[in-house]
Amino acid sequence: MKTMLNIALPKGRLGEKVYGMFEKAGFPCPSIHENNRKLIFENEALGVRYFWVKPSDVAIYVERGAADIGVAGKDILLEYAPDVYELLDLDIGKCRMAVAAPKDFRDDPQKTLKVATKFSNIALDYYNSKGREIDIIHLNGSIEIAPILGLSDVIVDIVETGTTLKENNLEVFETIVPISARLIANKSSFMFKAEQIEKIVRETAKMTEEKK
Ligand code: PRP
């Protein structure tokens, strides 16, 4: 039996784009286009299996070897520091991690800054590096509401188009780091399935180069 290459795709628009790249790279799996709610798709003849997972879970599958490779945002890699290889910047899913605040916000360095975020580690690292004392308020979504209701002074969150901030009367105060989608691999799969993984890296790298 052929060894299967297991690929974790982030469910959603980014994942569709990634599948398109992998298909072009020589790893098609036509059944993935079937319109149903299945989450696992296989092309047995080619030895490839795709599965759709929550974007923030991709790195967990890859770290534990349930997936050999996957695609995760740099935000997730920075926040959770999974023990995986980061092989390639796919140059898609681009956005930035930023500090945002109400338009009239003025930072008072004498006071502990209250920071609401889903990305507590990124926020802590950022403010530690600046020597700024903060109080983290960890939230799971709708972060933009926190400063409006006085729960926090600022937020640390992903900004893509800036629409969410604008519609909630917030603006970017500082940019922390640019974010994009990364191809990641399980460390032992990278040795044992080197041939298939190298091919996918080589071919997708060509596609990202062509775009530039
Ligand atoms: C992210 C982020 C912002 C929004 C920014 O949320 O938390 O709310 O996107 O995008 P914009 O600058 O284009 O408006 P996402 O849609 O990923 O959902 P989430 O709140 O569940 O994280």
Side-chain angles (χ1 to χ4, degrees):
M1 210 180 74
K2 218 175 166 148
T3 50
M4 278 280 175
L5 183 70
N6 291 299
I7 305 179
L9 292 173
K11 217 172 166 190
R13 215 155 30 95
L14 178 71
E16 308 273 348
K17 223 179 204 174
V18 171
Y19 171 74
M21 292 172 87
F22 290 174
E23 181 179 53
K24 225 172 122 191
F27 294 85
C29 183
S31 60
I32 211 165
H33 296 300
E34 284 166 13
N35 190 15
N36 57 33
R37 296 181 70 87
K38 253 175 75 170
L39 296 172
I40 303 182
F41 299 90
E42 237 175 70
N43 182 340
E44 220 185 326
L46 208 66
V48 65
R49 182 186 292 128
Y50 287 97
F51 38 93
W52 297 108
V53 306
K54 206 173 160 179
S56 51
D57 288 342
V58 168
I60 299 172
Y61 283 82
V62 174
E63 181 176 35
R64 291 180 174 263
D68 299 307
I69 61 169
V71 170
K74 185 69 182 174
D75 51 333
I76 299 296
L77 302 180
L78 289 171
E79 179 64 22
Y80 299 104
D83 190 18
V84 297
Y85 289 132
E86 189 183 316
L87 301 177
L88 189 66
D89 182 347
L90 294 175
D91 205 40
I92 54 175
K94 287 164 99 171
C95 50
R96 58 183 162 146
M97 187 64 66
V99 178
K103 291 199 166 80
D104 56 1
F105 171 74
R106 295 285 169 274
D107 193 3
D108 178 356
Q110 306 303 319
K111 281 202 210 148
T112 300
L113 186 70
K114 287 188 283 173
V115 182
T117 188
K118 256 198 303 201
F119 300 95
S120 295
N121 291 325
I122 294 178
L124 278 169
D125 285 351
Y126 177 67
Y127 284 106
N128 271 343
S129 74
K130 291 171 48 123
R132 180 76 166 95
E133 201 176 307
I134 62 164
D135 178 13
I136 289 277
I137 301 155
H138 188 92
L139 297 176
N140 297 299
S142 301
I143 318 293
E144 291 82 3
I145 293 177
I148 300 170
L149 299 181
L151 180 63
S152 72
D153 300 310
V154 300
I155 64 172
V156 165
D157 202 8
I158 284 169
V159 180
E160 191 182 351
T161 59
T163 311
T164 312
L165 292 183
K166 207 169 157 201
E167 293 191 353
N168 290 288
N169 295 314
L170 303 174
E171 62 185 16
V172 170
F173 188 64
E174 290 157 338
T175 291
I176 300 178
V177 65
I179 303 291
S180 58
R182 309 295 162 101
L183 177 58
I184 57 173
N186 173 270
K187 289 190 166 173
S188 64
S189 303
F190 187 68
M191 281 168 50
F192 295 112
K193 300 187 183 178
E195 201 181 311
Q196 285 165 295
I197 295 177
E198 273 165 19
K199 181 176 175 199
I200 223 164
V201 172
R202 197 171 54 241
E203 295 303 318
T204 46
K206 272 190 220 158
M207 291 171 222
T208 58
E209 278 309 309
E210 278 163 16
K211 250 179 64 183
K212 283 178 187 164

